[in-house]
Amino acid sequence: KNHDNCGCASNDGGATQPERQETLNKESKYPKEPSIRSRGGSIPISEFEKYLEKLFKKQMARVNKIRNEHILLCLSGGNSSTAMLHMVHKWTNLHPNSKKFFTFSVLHLGNKEKFMEYFNKQPGKERCRSVIVVDQSKSSQLINEDLASSELTAAEELQYQVTYHQLLKIANEQKFNFVMMGNTGSRIATRAFVDLCTSRGGGIANLTGSNSTITLKNNEQIKVIRPLNEMLAREVGFFLHMHHLKTLFVPTHSTGKDLKTATVDRLVETFLMDMQVEFPNTILTILRTCEKLKPYDMKKETVCSLCLNNPTLNDNESFCSGCRRTLGYASQDKDYQEKKMQAIVDEYVLTPIDDEEE
């Protein structure tokens, strides 16, 4: 500041403030224009889409043997899945001779009328071969009977587990080898912390990475692809805003409640997003740490029937301690909840492979 108008020997040769700023603008990689703050830096709007395209193609390049495959694309209608549909339509090669050429069908769990009204407005629907809509009211009714009125965390955790396994079960029945999900890096980091807080850390290794393989009871394998794995939630939000994409509002059990304290998931998400503001590498650090973990090797007799990732306390029990605690067994009748949970598991959850049968 003291060297603005003097001629002393400074690092910039005694240049004035306007001259110094003009030099910085010329030397800058990007011209001076509106930018988006992300990951500790600013990305110009003109370069932002190229930046996301690079992240998307980087994740898709890690998926092997995808050529000429028919993929099941899970579309809830939210921010991340809507952005994923648009990115798949825009940034994947349409030529059949391409190494990464594939076709896809769309799967949605919810109301068919509302979803089709939303889906018909999406630009990527032309590449979709078919649309599968499954009503989820039966599973929601089972969850709402007791848990939603008193245990919001238990209700949302159970709904999350049932939805995830229902997607895999439908993919298995329809003979899909690949399932694509729109999990962003922010959502994956949140789920990793929630699993740690609820004593279910054994499944963190299956959450991260651009793809993971799940082996089913009938020895068939389903590969889960996450092309938005390294994108932040705010980056996806900017992408939707730039392309004027409409989303579908899907209410949850905590809708209308205090988002910061309603459930463990909301509390962890708020904490991580606040950390991300002050420390821009928070989400990426969590993802890199989780990617170093390896799935826990368990036999069928000891695995939890609900989360399928953690061991049970005893061989004669069906659920791990984390699932029991989350579902609030301590305050409700244990035998009744056991029967109720087993009914949900039998209806929606896949059974893991038995090592001896393999």
Side-chain angles (χ1 to χ4, degrees), residues 50-66:
K50 295 180 181 178
Y51 165 74
L52 292 186
E53 181 181 0
K54 182 178 179 181
L55 291 179
F56 179 85
K57 291 184 176 181
K58 176 183 176 182
Q59 297 301 318
M60 292 300 298
R62 295 179 178 179
V63 184
N64 299 322
K65 300 179 181 180
I66 198 177

Side-chain angles (χ1 to χ4, degrees), residues 328-344:
Y329 284 127
S331 60
Q332 300 183 22
D333 181 62
K334 179 178 178 180
D335 294 335
Y336 171 74
Q337 285 291 353
E338 284 278 2
K339 294 179 181 179
K340 180 178 178 180
M341 285 303 306
Q342 195 60 49
I344 295 176

Side-chain angles (χ1 to χ4, degrees), residues 7-60:
C8 67
S10 59
N11 293 334
D12 50 11
T16 61
Q17 182 68 22
E19 293 174 348
R20 210 183 288 120
Q21 187 63 44
E22 183 179 356
T23 303
L24 290 175
N25 291 341
K26 291 180 180 180
E27 294 177 355
S28 177
K29 181 179 179 180
Y30 302 111
K32 201 68 177 178
E33 63 172 298
S35 57
I36 297 173
R37 183 185 177 189
S38 178
R39 310 190 188 200
S42 297
I43 305 175
I45 292 180
S46 60
E47 299 291 332
F48 179 70
E49 190 165 341
K50 295 180 181 178
Y51 165 74
L52 292 186
E53 181 181 0
K54 182 178 179 181
L55 291 179
F56 179 85
K57 291 184 176 181
K58 176 183 176 182
Q59 297 301 318
M60 292 300 298

Side-chain angles (χ1 to χ4, degrees), residues 40-208:
S42 297
I43 305 175
I45 292 180
S46 60
E47 299 291 332
F48 179 70
E49 190 165 341
K50 295 180 181 178
Y51 165 74
L52 292 186
E53 181 181 0
K54 182 178 179 181
L55 291 179
F56 179 85
K57 291 184 176 181
K58 176 183 176 182
Q59 297 301 318
M60 292 300 298
R62 295 179 178 179
V63 184
N64 299 322
K65 300 179 181 180
I66 198 177
R67 183 176 180 180
N68 296 328
E69 285 285 347
H70 189 51
I71 295 177
L72 182 64
L73 192 148
C74 302
L75 188 63
S76 66
N79 289 354
S80 58
S81 62
T82 302
M84 179 181 65
L85 175 64
H86 189 71
M87 291 176 183
V88 167
H89 170 69
K90 192 173 183 180
W91 293 336
T92 55
N93 202 320
L94 300 176
H95 198 279
N97 294 330
S98 172
K99 293 182 179 180
K100 295 294 181 181
F101 172 78
F102 64 89
T103 58
F104 67 87
S105 294
V106 167
L107 171 63
H108 175 74
L109 303 180
N111 185 278
K112 183 176 182 179
E113 183 179 353
K114 292 182 178 180
F115 175 74
M116 294 307 299
E117 181 181 356
Y118 148 83
F119 184 70
N120 291 330
K121 299 178 181 178
Q122 300 304 315
K125 60 179 175 45
E126 294 83 4
R127 290 187 60 188
C128 178
R129 283 192 176 183
S130 61
V131 178
I132 306 172
V133 182
V134 178
D135 187 12
Q136 211 178 14
S137 58
K138 183 178 179 181
S139 62
S140 299
Q141 183 179 1
L142 290 172
I143 297 171
N144 284 330
E145 286 180 358
D146 298 316
L147 298 176
S149 60
S150 58
E151 297 285 344
L152 286 176
T153 296
E156 288 210 344
E157 285 298 305
L158 180 57
Q159 187 69 63
Y160 168 79
Q161 295 289 348
V162 169
T163 300
Y164 178 75
H165 292 297
Q166 194 172 6
L167 293 174
L168 296 180
K169 185 174 183 179
I170 294 173
N172 182 43
E173 293 174 351
Q174 299 292 331
K175 306 299 181 182
F176 285 95
N177 296 323
F178 292 85
V179 175
M180 185 176 293
M181 298 183 179
N183 303 115
T184 62
S186 302
R187 182 94 286 265
I188 293 173
T190 301
R191 285 303 315 174
F193 263 64
V194 170
D195 286 349
L196 285 175
C197 295
T198 55
S199 303
R200 290 185 299 193
I204 294 179
N206 293 326
L207 287 175
T208 58

Side-chain angles (χ1 to χ4, degrees), residues 274-286:
D274 292 341
M275 287 281 292
Q276 180 71 18
V277 174
E278 299 295 333
F279 305 97
N281 290 325
T282 298
I283 300 298
L284 294 180
T285 302
I286 296 174

